[in-house]
């Protein structure tokens, strides 16, 4: 078994899954399957188990992940394998952040404090919004918005609580307590 990957290495783009899979050689290698639109990411499981993951990007074909290539491959939500090695990880700006084992050594992408005012302004003071809604409103990565929103909560500028099982955020000035 290979050591777990900490970064995604984009190794290509293919029209079909078997072509994409043939380009993978190491844990964390990934290839985009693209036919008129992004269809899936084929990835060598980053934990080194040797399995190949197919991550659906096409919402017309059941549950789909969001793909963003700004600053490196980002997928949302996290990838959580139900079977096999049961790995759980986040792919964010090319970084692989482990959510279960292998967490020691995680390194989040660089933090840009310049987006804090934008995220704060996108938070409604009354109506709670989750990180996906805020990210959509300001065209930013969901993982970035989630990190910024949590930092704003720590600073006392935003409030958070769970709504229907998801964390939601408001500006604190008139937030419900």
């Amino acid at each position: 078994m290979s050591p777990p990957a900490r970064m995604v290495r984009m190794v290509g783009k293919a029209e079909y899954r078997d072509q994409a899979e043939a380009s993978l050689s190491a844990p964390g290698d990934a290839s985009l399957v693209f036919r008129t639109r992004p269809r899936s990411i084929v990835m060598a499981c980053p934990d080194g188990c040797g399995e190949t993951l197919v991550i659906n990007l096409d919402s017309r074909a059941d549950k789909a992940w969001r793909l963003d290539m700004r600053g490196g491959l980002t997928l949302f939500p996290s990838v959580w394998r139900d079977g096999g090695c049961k790995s759980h990880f986040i792919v964010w700006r090319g970084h692989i952040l482990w959510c279960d084992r292998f967490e020691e050594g995680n390194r989040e992408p660089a933090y840009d404090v310049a987006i804090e005012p934008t995220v704060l302004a996108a938070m409604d003071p009354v109506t709670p919004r989750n990180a996906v809604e805020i990210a959509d409103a300001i065209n930013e990565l969901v993982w970035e918005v989630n990190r910024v929103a949590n930092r704003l909560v720590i600073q006392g500028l935003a409030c958070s609580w769970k709504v229907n099982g998801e964390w939601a955020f408001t500006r604190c000035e008139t937030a419900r307590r």
Side-chain angles (χ1 to χ4, degrees):
M1 188 163 152
S2 302
R6 297 291 176 180
M7 299 292 290
V8 172
R9 184 173 72 115
M10 287 300 293
V11 295
K13 182 171 150 181
E15 195 171 345
Y16 297 100
R17 175 187 169 178
D18 60 333
Q19 295 167 328
E21 194 167 349
S23 67
L24 308 178
S25 62
D29 282 0
S31 184
L32 175 65
V33 176
F34 189 95
R35 286 189 309 280
T36 67
R37 70 180 65 188
R39 300 299 177 118
S40 61
I41 291 285
V42 177
M43 175 186 278
C45 188
D47 83 346
C49 71
E51 294 290 320
T52 299
L53 312 179
V54 179
I55 302 163
N56 180 41
L57 303 174
D58 189 347
S59 60
R60 300 172 306 164
D62 203 15
K63 176 185 173 185
W65 278 255
R66 290 174 177 236
L67 166 71
D68 197 302
M69 296 299 291
R70 289 179 282 180
L73 177 70
T74 296
L75 296 171
F76 183 85
S78 63
V79 178
W80 197 341
R81 296 195 63 201
D82 292 333
C85 64
K86 300 191 186 275
S87 287
H88 184 199
F89 57 92
I90 292 168
V91 178
W92 180 7
R93 293 193 189 262
H95 295 257
I96 296 169
L97 303 174
W98 292 95
C99 300
D100 46 17
R101 54 199 172 156
F102 314 128
E103 284 182 7
E104 187 174 321
N106 276 351
R107 291 201 175 110
E108 290 185 4
Y111 185 77
D112 182 3
V113 297
I115 70 169
E116 286 183 0
T118 305
V119 172
L120 187 61
M123 291 178 181
D124 189 280
V126 177
T127 305
R129 298 171 81 185
N130 64 36
V132 172
E133 294 166 326
I134 297 168
D136 287 346
I138 62 173
N139 191 29
E140 187 53 75
L141 299 176
V142 178
W143 297 120
E144 293 287 320
V145 167
N146 191 62
R147 174 170 55 182
V148 169
N150 282 303
R151 286 179 61 109
L152 293 169
V153 168
I154 290 167
Q155 295 170 24
L157 299 172
C159 297
S160 67
W161 59 91
K162 281 199 172 183
V163 176
N164 298 324
E166 290 185 338
W167 286 101
F169 304 91
T170 60
R171 285 195 307 271
C172 273
E173 56 210 30
T174 59
R176 292 177 229 144
R177 297 198 187 258

